[in-house]
Amino acid sequence: MSVITLTPLDLVLAAALVVLLAGLSLRFDLGLEGRILVAAGRMTAQLLLIGLILRTIFAHVHLAWVVLIAVGMLLAAGREVMARQQRRLRGWWGLGTGTGAMFVSSFSVTVFALCVIVGTEPWYAPQYAIPMLGMLLGNTMTGIALAMDRLTQAAWQQRAVIEQRLLLGEEAQTAFGEMRRESMRTGMIPIVNAMAAAGIVSLPGMMTGQILAGSPPLEAVKYQIMIMFLIAAGTGFGVMIAIALTSRRLFDERDRLRLDVLR
Amino acid sequence: MSRLTVEALRYHRCGPIDFTIADGTCMSLTGASGAGKTLLLRAIADLDPHAGRALLDDVPATALPAPTWRRRVAMLPAESAWWHESVGEHFGVGQAAGNVPSAESLARLGFTPDVMRWEIVRLSTGERQRLALLRLLANGPRALLLDEPTANLDGPNVTAVESLIAAFQRDEQAPVLWVTHDREQRERVAAQHYRIENGTLRTEPSP
């Protein structure tokens, strides 16, 4: 089996469907046509750009290039985590907490997978390293953003309960414990559900892509299983780190709830 | 037997504030809404950042872990919070073993021991206020900071709460700081009277 190359005309035909959708949006007065076209245009430009970048990097395999791309992806994900929170930590903590948690979890899991499981040569081979890191970052980002948003909202809304428990002599992390656990569950449930539904409700995108590209289905499935394990572990570790950092930041050394660290 | 001392306490835009409440006595505190009465109680309980210090028998708050200090110098907030389903689960918070109030103190506030199985959602405001006091006393505090503890109670329950606190104050020889707007209550419960105005503490003359 080999890949059937898509011609520009093929892409134009697919794009015509989106233009049709935008037309229907205009016809039914949904007011979405502008956003549909802009988003479609952005997606096209961004993917073409990353395709060019990846082609260049694949041609010149060097650790520095891979690190540069990885750091760029990490910062973009960190910014996204921050933007998805209604009440985020002030100052560098806002960007740093989510980014730090993703750095520790996604990077360590990816490096572990590259070195120990896949055994690429060199270990930072961009053809493996960048897509795997991308999948890990994308998923840990969702989990961490959900969990941190839940936690800071809980601290804000349940201030009366937290302070009542502190006044009765509970330690900060005990008084906050149930909210911490609830936030961690919120962050981890999407990936747990995705694992449970994989293959029955949905065919995961990576596996589908590999099959379209001509890989034998069982090889694609094995890769998908590995990626699911990595994503689950990376998301779980990342959520735990982010929640630990955030909940520590919300209280000071005298076990006081410090909502002034939020904005 | 304990003595509560506050030295050069500054918080928010108030202070410096100094006073001592001797063992077994009660000090009343009044002041306009927003004058900083509740914030003073929170600063003494070390729930808000502040300058200056509070001491119980010459032991400053900072010498103890904050949860220990708050169990000893116990603050009753104006509005109590409840987070479990039943009343009983809220007793003994912050301690290894659950402390349940004696049948006698329950009875003094008009409850029978089966109140521990009541659901929180069915409690009236007044019941919550009385149970919050029992919950606080069950922790075995050495000093009390009370923020309008009878604000939502009717006449007989006000009397019952006042006498329960007086008994605690006498039996444990504990200092009590009592925030109230009620002039008559002030005269009934406290020996020394203060008012917060423009961020400072002044003695309030008895009528």
Side-chain angles (χ1 to χ4, degrees):
Chain A
M1 281 199 288
S2 67
V3 189
I4 302 171
T5 311
L6 290 180
T7 63
L9 179 64
D10 297 333
L11 293 182
V12 167
L13 287 175
L17 293 174
V18 175
V19 173
L20 176 65
L21 178 68
L24 287 174
S25 162
L26 192 65
R27 171 76 180 74
F28 294 117
D29 208 13
L30 299 182
L32 273 178
E33 53 280 356
R35 285 167 64 182
I36 290 174
L37 293 177
V38 169
R42 268 191 66 169
M43 182 272 289
T44 310
Q46 286 166 196
L47 290 183
L48 282 175
L49 187 67
I50 194 69
L52 288 174
I53 293 174
L54 289 179
R55 189 176 67 176
T56 314
I57 291 178
F58 287 5
H60 312 277
V61 175
H62 193 285
L63 181 59
W65 290 119
V66 178
V67 169
L68 188 70
I69 292 278
V71 169
M73 289 161 71
L74 177 68
L75 290 179
R79 213 191 69 91
E80 185 67 22
V81 166
M82 195 172 75
R84 287 188 196 176
Q85 295 187 58
Q86 279 195 31
R87 304 187 189 284
R88 53 179 181 260
L89 295 171
R90 281 178 191 278
W92 281 101
W93 287 90
L95 183 64
T97 307
T99 311
M102 281 188 291
F103 174 73
V104 174
S105 61
S106 296
F107 277 48
S108 59
V109 169
T110 305
V111 170
F112 169 76
L114 290 172
C115 296
V116 179
I117 303 179
V118 185
T120 49
E121 187 61 45
W123 64 268
Y124 53 85
Q127 186 196 342
Y128 289 86
I130 291 174
M132 280 171 62
L133 183 65
M135 279 188 286
L136 271 155
L137 276 177
N139 285 278
T140 45
M141 177 182 85
T142 307
I144 288 174
L146 281 172
M148 284 178 67
D149 189 47
R150 181 69 180 254
L151 191 77
T152 48
Q153 292 279 9
W156 189 274
Q157 286 164 0
Q158 306 212 43
R159 174 183 177 172
V161 165
I162 298 166
E163 293 198 328
Q164 174 77 76
R165 297 181 69 156
L166 295 175
L167 281 175
L168 287 169
E170 278 195 336
E171 284 168 17
Q173 297 311 330
T174 315
F176 203 41
E178 186 47 47
M179 293 164 215
R180 282 176 55 154
R181 286 190 287 278
E182 190 57 44
S183 309
M184 289 195 204
R185 281 194 284 269
T186 305
M188 291 187 205
I189 278 175
I191 181 60
V192 175
N193 287 345
M195 281 200 286
I200 300 178
V201 184
S202 64
L203 280 188
M206 177 196 126
M207 180 182 115
T208 315
Q210 269 189 301
I211 293 175
L212 282 179
S215 291
L218 270 179
E219 290 306 311
V221 162
K222 283 194 283 181
Y223 261 91
Q224 185 65 52
I225 291 172
M226 177 191 72
I227 287 290
M228 280 291 205
F229 287 150
L230 298 180
I231 287 175
T235 304
F237 300 155
V239 164
M240 287 179 181
I241 295 167
I243 292 304
L245 289 174
T246 310
S247 54
R248 191 160 302 179
R249 179 75 184 148
L250 283 167
F251 294 88
D252 67 15
E253 73 289 350
R254 294 296 293 170
D255 293 62
R256 304 178 188 119
L257 177 62
R258 297 297 296 268
L259 289 178
D260 53 334
V261 302
L262 298 177
R263 59 181 218 177
Chain B
M1 216 170 115
S2 307
R3 182 179 68 256
L4 184 67
T5 310
V6 166
E7 288 179 357
L9 198 71
R10 291 173 187 271
Y11 59 93
H12 196 53
R13 280 181 225 102
C14 300
I17 284 176
D18 293 88
F19 61 81
T20 297
I21 309 177
D23 48 271
T25 66
C26 178
M27 164 179 149
S28 81
L29 180 66
T30 189
S33 178
K37 303 183 297 292
T38 298
L39 290 177
L40 172 63
L41 264 52
R42 289 171 60 96
I44 298 173
D46 209 2
L47 200 60
D48 285 334
H50 56 84
R53 55 185 200 160
L55 307 95
L56 187 68
D57 285 338
D58 304 324
V59 178
T62 47
L64 299 169
T68 309
W69 172 259
R70 292 185 195 123
R71 276 199 297 275
R72 292 190 188 171
V73 180
M75 173 177 169
L76 183 73
E79 276 186 36
S80 62
W82 303 81
W83 57 98
H84 292 303
E85 266 180 42
S86 74
V87 172
E89 292 167 273
H90 294 84
F91 282 77
V93 166
Q95 305 199 329
N99 285 5
V100 177
S102 65
E104 188 213 335
S105 54
L106 283 173
R108 291 184 82 142
L109 294 194
F111 295 109
T112 53
D114 81 12
V115 70
M116 291 294 150
R117 290 198 301 274
W118 289 10
E119 285 177 52
I120 295 299
V121 288
R122 293 174 183 244
L123 298 178
S124 72
T125 319
E127 284 169 337
R128 282 179 194 226
Q129 193 160 31
R130 284 177 285 148
L131 285 167
L133 176 64
L134 291 169
R135 174 174 67 177
L136 197 70
L137 293 179
N139 264 355
R142 306 232 196 116
L144 291 181
L145 311 169
L146 307 171
D147 196 354
E148 303 191 49
T150 61
N152 299 307
L153 302 181
D154 57 13
N157 276 315
V158 171
T159 309
V161 164
E162 285 177 5
S163 83
L164 182 71
I165 294 170
F168 173 82
Q169 182 185 322
R170 187 183 60 242
D171 296 347
E172 307 293 326
Q173 283 297 297
V176 176
L177 174 52
W178 191 316
V179 172
T180 177
H181 288 291
D182 182 340
R183 184 176 285 258
E184 288 171 15
Q185 179 173 59
R186 206 171 73 197
E187 298 302 324
R188 282 198 301 273
V189 300
Q192 45 177 344
H193 309 292
Y194 285 88
R195 166 182 293 273
I196 294 191
E197 215 166 54
N198 301 323
T200 55
L201 202 62
R202 305 195 322 206
T203 51
E204 177 85 348
S206 287

